[in-house]
Amino acid sequence: MILTLGAGLLAGPPARALEPASAVVSAGTFNIFDPDTRAEVGVEADCAPFPLGWMPRWFPPLSPAAGAMVNAKGAAYVYAGLRADMPLAKPWELSIQFAPGLYRPGNGFRLGGPVEFRSGIELSRGIGERGRVGLLLFHLSNAGIYTHNPGSEPLVLTYRFRL
């Protein structure tokens, strides 16, 4: 709670209310660099981006995001964090994201403990007026806060619909 309050004070007031800006669905492979891969699906809700007044002008606005994923062996991960979308040559966009969350291994891959961090990069292409299809590679690990820290790299296809 103290970290959330501190982040809110550092960010200052948002340019507009944090209403949902897009809905995302994803599907792909969990643990792509390991022989023990499995299917994964996920959902995410992103809020409207807001600029941080104290950041350099070239830094893109940040969007709060929250989501969940499950895989074929019963693992589940829920998270909330931030993403930054950077336009490239139209219709392409590059996004970076970071989110702490809670992980439950189910009958599968153990990542060391319940608190895990997700960091990722996504390349997407606009389709239609409000849709985007992309490829997202992210790393999921506990950043060394537990003794066991194998990490995992999922690769998923995403579809984002801007509301």
Side-chain angles (χ1 to χ4, degrees):
M1 186 155 102
I2 292 171
L3 290 175
T4 304
L5 179 60
L9 292 174
L10 285 175
R16 59 184 165 244
L18 295 178
E19 70 263 359
S22 60
V24 184
V25 293
S26 63
T29 303
F30 183 84
N31 220 17
I32 63 167
F33 297 124
D34 190 286
D36 187 21
T37 63
R38 62 212 58 175
E40 172 186 316
V41 294
V43 295
E44 183 175 290
D46 298 342
C47 293
F50 62 92
L52 297 174
W54 51 271
M55 292 297 285
R57 288 184 189 261
W58 56 265
F59 196 83
L62 298 175
S63 301
M69 72 80 161
V70 294
N71 71 33
K73 294 232 179 162
Y77 180 65
V78 294
Y79 60 91
L82 296 170
R83 64 180 287 124
D85 299 325
M86 297 163 281
L88 301 173
K90 278 204 179 238
W92 297 95
E93 187 172 270
L94 185 70
S95 302
I96 55 172
Q97 49 190 257
F98 175 77
L102 296 174
Y103 178 78
R104 183 186 60 110
N107 294 324
F109 200 67
R110 301 197 180 282
L111 292 175
V115 176
E116 301 291 333
F117 302 93
R118 170 182 163 138
S119 55
I121 187 165
E122 178 182 17
L123 180 63
S124 64
R125 184 185 196 287
I127 54 172
E129 287 186 32
R130 297 166 33 186
R132 298 198 74 74
V133 65
L135 194 59
L136 168 65
L137 174 66
F138 64 93
H139 177 71
L140 189 60
S141 80
N142 62 53
I145 62 174
Y146 304 111
T147 303
H148 184 63
N149 184 25
S152 175
E153 288 74 27
L155 181 66
V156 295
L157 183 64
T158 62
Y159 177 72
R160 176 176 313 278
F161 182 76
R162 298 195 195 267
L163 305 173

